């Protein structure tokens, strides 16, 4: 028990954790009882004495709003078991069954977890309403494309809402127009593209290579993605350097590591690997290879020569 007036160092939970930083009681502040709702002492600021929310997170400002303000993630999307990493369940589109920790296709499994088996799924198309400002962005984008004489269904293959994030899957021939519309339309104003990332899904037939663009609206404090999938035997995508010049080196890196060719890039050459390097090292069909490494007198063999546990 704390002092009769509830002030002073309040006694923490039975595990010996200390009380709130200012000595006020975390849960009620009146009777000095310790907060045991989440197994810890009270909130660090002690001002409102509220315990962490049910999802185990606490906003940075202690007001109950999202930690990053009103933008970025969908404000109407609560954290739940359905959108935690690795918890897609049976929804979405299954592209392969992975065996082992990392799904290596050659060289054997050296992690000791060769018996693991899990389904690898991509999220499916979302249905309206998407929630929060997602519907506003989708409506504005579709309306702006229609004003240009382009049917949204011809440019946008599907819209995905997953993990509280919005992604437009765009047909590659319409990528520059969609990106320019997102940049220039006053209601959208996605002025910044923070880069393009490559992804290789060998079992995703007909779209084995994906290019993912991260767009941010500084005006509206919003973050979305554009994604383009292309077949491995026709890995060409229009460059977005004319729309977002900062994509110059990012497209070179994606070409270097995944082999995606960005048509219209001003100088599409390798950026990390030597110019005469064979292959693209971050593709999943690239041989593991490697060289022995000496560590404190011990020779560590190359990854493809290590003992296999499978």
């Amino acid at each position: 028990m704390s002092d009769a007036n509830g002030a002073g160092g309040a006694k923490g939970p039975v595990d010996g954790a200390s009380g709130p930083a200012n000595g006020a009681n975390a849960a009620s502040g009146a009777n000095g009882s310790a907060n045991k709702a989440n197994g810890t002492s009270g909130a660090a600021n002690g001002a409102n004495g509220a315990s962490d929310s049910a999802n185990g997170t606490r906003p940075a400002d202690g007001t109950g709003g999202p930690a990053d303000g009103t933008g970025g993630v969908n404000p109407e999307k609560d954290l739940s078991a359905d959108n935690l990493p690795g918890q897609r369940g049976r929804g979405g589109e299954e592209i392969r069954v992975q065996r082992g920790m990392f799904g290596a296709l050659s060289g054997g499994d050296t992690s000791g977890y060769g018996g693991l088996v899990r389904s690898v799924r991509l999220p499916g198309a979302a249905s309206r309403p998407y929630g929060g400002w997602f519907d506003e962005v989708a409506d504005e984008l579709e309306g702006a494309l229609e004003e240009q004489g382009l049917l949204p269904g011809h440019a946008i293959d599907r819209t995905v809402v997953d993990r509280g994030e919005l992604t437009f899957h765009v047909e590659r021939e319409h990528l520059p127009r969609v990106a320019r519309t997102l940049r220039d339309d006053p209601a959208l104003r996605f002025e910044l593209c923070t880069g393009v990332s490559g992804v290789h899904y060998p079992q995703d037939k007909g779209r084995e290579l994906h290019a993912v663009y991260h767009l941010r609206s500084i005006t509206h404090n919003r973050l979305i993605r554009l994604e383009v999938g292309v077949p491995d035997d026709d890995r060409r995508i229009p460059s977005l350097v004319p729309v977002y010049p900062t994509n110059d080196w990012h497209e070179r890196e994606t070409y270097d590591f995944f082999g995606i060719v960005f048509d219209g890039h001003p100088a599409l050459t390798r950026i990390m690997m030597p110019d005469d390097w064979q292959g693209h090292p971050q593709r999943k069909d690239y041989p593991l290879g490697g060289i022995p490494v000496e560590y404190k007198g011990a020779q560590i063999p190359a990854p493809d020569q290590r003992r296999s546990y499978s």
Side-chain angles (χ1 to χ4, degrees):
M1 292 293 291
S2 62
D3 297 340
N5 59 7
K11 194 174 201 178
V14 293
D15 62 359
S18 60
N22 65 358
N25 180 269
S28 65
N31 58 11
S33 60
N35 176 7
K36 298 180 183 177
N38 59 4
T40 65
S41 60
N45 60 13
N48 56 12
S51 61
D52 291 348
S53 58
N55 62 15
T57 61
R58 182 191 306 139
D61 58 2
T63 60
D68 62 345
T70 59
V73 298
N74 188 346
E76 295 185 5
K77 184 71 173 179
D78 294 327
L79 189 66
S80 68
D82 293 332
N83 62 8
L84 291 174
Q87 298 296 320
R88 201 180 306 283
R90 300 187 62 82
E93 177 185 358
E94 181 178 282
I95 58 171
R96 69 186 178 97
V97 175
Q98 176 171 308
R99 301 182 182 276
M101 178 67 78
F102 306 108
L105 301 178
S106 62
D109 183 275
T110 60
S111 67
Y113 293 89
L116 291 179
V117 179
R118 70 179 181 90
S119 173
V120 177
R121 296 175 179 270
L122 298 180
S127 57
R128 298 275 196 155
Y130 302 140
W133 52 264
F134 291 1
D135 290 281
E136 179 184 344
V137 170
D139 291 340
E140 293 291 347
L141 176 58
E142 292 174 4
L145 292 176
E146 288 177 347
E147 291 176 359
Q148 301 173 45
L150 177 60
L151 292 176
H154 291 173
I156 302 173
D157 175 58
R158 64 186 183 277
T159 301
V160 172
V161 177
D162 186 59
R163 311 286 197 257
E165 298 175 337
L166 177 64
T167 303
F168 295 107
H169 288 252
V170 180
E171 299 292 345
R172 59 177 162 182
E173 61 269 23
H174 298 298
L175 175 64
R177 179 181 291 192
V178 171
R180 195 177 298 275
T181 301
L182 287 165
R183 185 194 67 179
D184 295 342
D185 191 282
L188 297 169
R189 281 285 187 258
F190 285 89
E191 308 98 333
L192 177 64
C193 180
T194 59
V196 55
S197 303
V199 190
H200 184 208
Y201 295 110
Q203 289 81 13
D204 193 11
K205 300 304 180 184
R207 50 182 187 183
E208 291 86 356
L209 289 165
H210 293 226
V212 184
Y213 303 82
H214 307 266
L215 306 184
R216 179 173 291 279
S217 170
I218 300 174
T219 300
H220 303 292
N221 192 21
R222 294 169 175 173
L223 180 66
I224 66 171
R225 280 195 297 263
L226 301 180
E227 186 165 341
V228 179
V230 295
D232 201 7
D233 57 1
D234 183 19
R235 55 182 91 161
R236 310 184 78 89
I237 296 176
S239 172
L240 283 191
V241 172
V243 183
Y244 295 108
T246 53
N247 262 22
D248 187 339
W249 287 10
H250 294 279
E251 289 184 358
R252 288 179 59 191
E253 183 177 11
T254 305
Y255 160 72
D256 193 358
F257 286 153
F258 292 92
I260 299 176
V261 177
F262 294 93
D263 291 327
H265 189 283
L268 191 64
T269 57
R270 290 188 182 271
I271 192 171
M272 302 292 287
M273 308 303 293
D275 290 338
D276 58 352
W277 192 265
Q278 299 295 316
H280 303 279
Q282 287 192 350
R283 290 173 54 96
K284 289 187 173 65
D285 55 4
Y286 188 81
L288 199 55
I291 59 175
V293 178
E294 184 173 336
Y295 180 72
K296 293 186 177 179
Q299 281 290 117
I300 309 299
D304 60 346
Q305 299 171 10
R306 296 176 190 170
R307 180 177 59 173
S308 173
Y309 295 93
S310 56

